[in-house]
Amino acid sequence: MRKPAPPRDLPPPLELECLQSLWRLGEGNVRAVREDLAAAGRPFAYTTVMTLLDRLARRGAVSRTKRG
C-alpha cells in the first residue's frame, strides 16, 4: 500500500493556473475561469475546470457559493 504524499506548499500546475485565472478575474464561475484559460491558450473541458476548482475548494484555497 502506498503512503500518502506529504502536503504541498504550492498547488499542482493545473490548479495553479486556475488560481491565477481567478486572481485575474477577481471572482468567477467555472465558465468564466474556462474562458479565461482558453484566452490564455489553455483550452480545457468544462468538467476539467470544474474538477480543479472543486479540489481547490476542498483544500480551502478558494471559497464557493452555490446559486440556483
Side-chain angles (χ1 to χ4, degrees):
M1 195 165 175
R2 228 170 107 180
K3 290 184 196 177
R8 295 177 162 189
D9 289 335
L10 290 173
L14 291 178
E15 290 178 14
L16 185 59
E17 285 187 49
C18 284
L19 279 174
Q20 290 170 339
S21 177
L22 281 171
W23 290 329
R24 279 191 297 271
L25 295 169
E27 67 177 30
N29 57 13
V30 176
R31 178 177 289 147
V33 172
R34 182 175 177 264
E35 288 172 357
D36 186 68
L37 290 171
R42 298 285 293 190
F44 291 108
Y46 182 91
T47 54
T48 302
V49 176
M50 185 171 56
T51 300
L52 293 168
L53 292 175
D54 182 56
R55 287 181 188 169
L56 289 168
R58 280 188 276 137
R59 290 189 190 129
V62 298
S63 61
R64 166 189 293 175
T65 303
K66 292 188 179 185
R67 295 183 187 161

